[in-house]
Amino acid sequence: MDVIVAADRADLVKARDALGEGSLALVPTMGALHEGHRSLIRLAHEHADHVAVSIFVNPLQFGPNDDFSRYPRTFDADLEVCAEENVRVVFAPSADEMYLPDRQIGVSSGEMGTIAEGAFRPGHFDGVLTVVLKLLNLVQPDVAIFGQKDAQQLALIRRMAADLNLPVSIVGAPTVREPDGLALSSRNRYLSAPERATALSLSKALRAGAAEATPSAILRAARAVLDDAARLDPPLALDYVELVDPKTFKPVGEAHEGEAVLAVAAKVGTTRLIDNVIVPISG
Ligand code: PAF
């Protein structure tokens, strides 16, 4: 079946009519679709009768020094991926369609949006939550799928759905990795071969941390790998490595029991990468 491309609210209404009966899952994306997105779409098929994908590079979630203008835009290839994965509707609005010129109201990500990743990207999570709420309002899915790769984003979207009583189920999908451990990301395509070799230190640090049992040992092991990576050529420039509570993203103490998220963010050359792993801590 052909993919229906909807560019605005009116197209979306027609697309919903064309789908007929059945539940709908939405996979929100910024395009540049890769194997990780394919896994989100496949998971979406397990949760609903029909799958929609949104493709929108959201200006609101990029800071002045972020990569908005160079963010990869590969719409034709993305449509092919969607067709191959039996996506029924692709919602691809323009920025003018999404945002009124005199826009006043947005979603605040609260304190949780200002810590960990949020401390390095002021306003980023407000922009993410605002666009996600708008996409959910426009597409009106029963289920929405987000990758665990953006763990704080997923936690904040779950929090928004709970705090604002959104009538949608939020489903998290596991991170997809290259065989050597590199987490798939649309930004990986910026990396030169030597930069990619250095970038492997992120997943290596997470594996080293996850092999330990206590919060202090986990962080020590991860930091040791990242310290070595700072001496590579090209070097890894660490923004943070933190062990945080999966729901609040506040750092966990030595007495923490249960799951924690070991999260890392670093720059290699001009490319900023994030990764994380869930670590069980038995106390
Ligand atoms: O994870 C992403 O690709 C984006 O942050 C999202 C959720 C599509 C919002 O723009």
Side-chain angles (χ1 to χ4, degrees):
M1 242 177 288
D2 280 351
V3 183
I4 305 170
V5 179
D8 58 27
R9 186 192 294 259
D11 287 352
L12 268 178
V13 172
K14 280 190 227 147
R16 279 303 299 245
D17 284 350
L19 291 184
E21 294 292 301
S23 54
L24 181 66
L26 173 66
V27 181
T29 81
M30 297 204 299
L33 303 185
H34 50 64
E35 205 51 47
H37 295 108
R38 284 185 192 266
S39 81
L40 300 184
I41 295 170
R42 289 174 194 158
L43 185 63
H45 280 295
E46 291 176 27
H47 285 269
D49 301 311
H50 310 293
V51 175
V53 166
S54 62
I55 298 178
F56 179 61
V57 185
N58 173 33
L60 232 58
Q61 69 188 74
F62 289 80
N65 300 319
D66 288 346
D67 55 351
F68 176 69
S69 51
R70 78 160 177 156
Y71 197 85
R73 286 155 173 91
T74 58
F75 187 68
D76 292 342
D78 293 347
L79 267 191
E80 269 174 43
V81 170
C82 290
E84 282 164 17
E85 298 296 336
N86 297 316
V87 170
R88 293 297 312 282
V89 179
V90 168
F91 178 47
S94 65
D96 289 349
E97 178 63 28
M98 287 300 278
Y99 296 117
L100 297 172
D102 59 347
R103 187 183 72 84
Q104 299 282 318
I105 309 295
V107 179
S108 162
S109 54
E111 186 202 349
M112 194 176 156
T114 65
I115 55 179
E117 181 70 2
F120 287 83
R121 300 189 71 186
H124 169 67
F125 287 120
D126 290 358
V128 169
L129 294 186
T130 300
V131 82
V132 168
L133 182 61
K134 287 169 72 74
L135 291 168
L136 295 174
N137 284 338
L138 286 158
V139 179
Q140 299 189 13
D142 303 283
V143 181
I145 315 282
F146 298 89
Q148 174 65 33
K149 156 89 171 23
D150 294 292
Q152 192 170 358
Q153 167 175 287
L154 173 59
L156 276 159
I157 291 168
R158 286 203 162 111
R159 192 71 238 195
M160 173 172 74
D163 283 351
L164 302 184
N165 304 98
L166 302 185
V168 62
S169 304
I170 305 298
V171 172
T175 302
V176 180
R177 297 180 182 281
E178 302 274 10
D180 58 9
L182 187 71
L184 295 195
S185 160
S186 301
R187 290 183 169 98
N188 289 353
R189 66 187 74 198
Y190 302 148
L191 298 169
S192 67
E195 286 173 344
R196 191 187 178 288
T198 296
L200 282 178
S201 306
L202 268 76
S203 53
K204 201 172 150 199
L206 296 179
R207 281 198 304 278
E212 301 296 330
T214 64
S216 53
I218 290 167
L219 279 171
R220 208 167 31 245
R223 276 199 193 111
V225 175
L226 296 164
D227 286 349
D228 286 348
R231 291 187 284 273
L232 293 175
D233 181 19
L236 181 129
L238 183 66
D239 274 353
Y240 64 86
V241 55
E242 288 187 26
L243 188 65
V244 297
D245 181 284
K247 286 208 172 97
T248 63
F249 267 73
K250 289 191 174 153
V252 301
E254 200 57 14
H256 181 81
E257 286 191 21
E259 290 188 334
V261 175
L262 180 60
V264 62
K267 259 188 159 182
V268 183
T270 56
T271 305
R272 189 171 183 279
L273 299 168
I274 61 170
D275 199 357
N276 71 84
V277 68
I278 297 175
V279 195
I281 299 175
S282 49

